[in-house]
Amino acid sequence: DTAVSQTPKYLVTQMGNDKSIKCEQNLGHDTMYWYKQDSKKFLKIMFSYNNKELIINETVPNRFSPKSPDKAHLNLHINSLELGDSAVYFCASSQGEGNSPLHFGNGTRLTVT
Amino acid sequence: DAKTTQPPSMDCAEGRAANLPCNHSTISGNEYVYWYRQIHSQGPQYIIHGLKNNETNEMASLIITEDRKSSTLILPHATLRDTAVYYCIVRYTGTASKLTFGTGTRLQVTL
């Protein structure tokens, strides 16, 4: 069973469109994250939710809106997509915010044309 | 979070031990050292973490110097499947802590 699963795996869309990426974890964790890995392979945190509450929001444009309907899901909605949004987006989860390790999904490769 | 410095790349022969160094000279007392790796086209994978003492699990060993300013990840018998980018991360585990990934070390395991 996949612990952290993301859909879709690949997403190709045009500038200006709105798209969503879904993430689900079956580990029973209470904290979930979104990370972005750009073309230079830098991996940066975007958001973190703990028990459905936003706890980290790194200077991300407000076109990006995470939504956590329950502890097991953290979706990422992106409005008015831009070329610079092209990247691989990784979802992750952990138990609590302490030293519990993060479990990552296998990413969603977003290409904006 | 304290910054880390890692060599950009390393090679290792299959079956040999791979020793990946990391410098974190500005680490503070309540910061842990974490190691993750990212195999091509996959999400990062947790390997091991520690605070002061050396740690070992089924994947690797982590050796932290007494002054905690550097550490070494040891893969005792590297295989081709260990070829990946290895990230050393120092993380404060207080409220709203986060992992900050650097550029890592690209380990190439060869026959």
Side-chain angles (χ1 to χ4, degrees), chain B residues 13-68:
Chain B
E14 190 175 33
R16 299 286 192 134
N19 298 296
L20 292 94
C22 179
N23 286 325
H24 31 78
S25 58
T26 60
I27 193 170
S28 61
N30 55 6
E31 289 180 312
Y32 283 73
V33 180
Y34 288 78
W35 283 84
Y36 282 74
R37 72 181 182 183
Q38 188 172 22
I39 296 170
H40 182 63
S41 297
Q42 296 182 19
Q45 177 190 22
Y46 166 78
I47 302 172
I48 199 167
H49 74 281
L51 182 63
K52 293 180 183 178
N53 300 322
N54 298 337
E55 302 287 345
T56 295
N57 63 20
E58 65 279 3
M59 289 182 70
S61 294
L62 173 60
I63 308 298
I64 303 174
T65 57
E66 196 170 335
D67 62 9
R68 302 210 320 125

Side-chain angles (χ1 to χ4, degrees), chain B residues 2-17:
Chain B
K3 288 187 176 178
T4 61
T5 304
Q6 299 177 252
S9 63
M10 292 181 65
D11 290 334
C12 178
E14 190 175 33
R16 299 286 192 134

Side-chain angles (χ1 to χ4, degrees), chain A residues 9 33 35 37 41-45 48 55-56 58 90 94 96-107 109, chain B residues 32 34 36 38 40-47 49 87 91-103 106:
Chain A
K9 186 172 174 64
Y33 310 79
Y35 277 79
Q37 188 166 41
K41 303 297 185 184
F42 290 117
L43 197 59
K44 295 182 181 178
I45 190 168
S48 174
I55 53 171
I56 293 175
E58 294 288 297
F90 289 100
S94 69
E97 305 164 59
N99 61 2
S100 172
L102 270 62
H103 295 254
F104 284 82
N106 279 328
R109 181 173 293 277
Chain B
Y32 283 73
Y34 288 78
Y36 282 74
Q38 188 172 22
H40 182 63
S41 297
Q42 296 182 19
Q45 177 190 22
Y46 166 78
I47 302 172
H49 74 281
Y87 297 98
R91 178 188 183 196
Y92 165 63
T93 58
T95 302
S97 59
K98 59 190 180 188
L99 286 179
T100 301
F101 287 78
T103 53
R106 178 170 294 281

Side-chain angles (χ1 to χ4, degrees), chain A residues 83-99:
Chain A
L83 293 177
D85 298 331
S86 295
V88 182
Y89 292 83
F90 289 100
C91 177
S93 72
S94 69
Q95 183 54 36
E97 305 164 59
N99 61 2

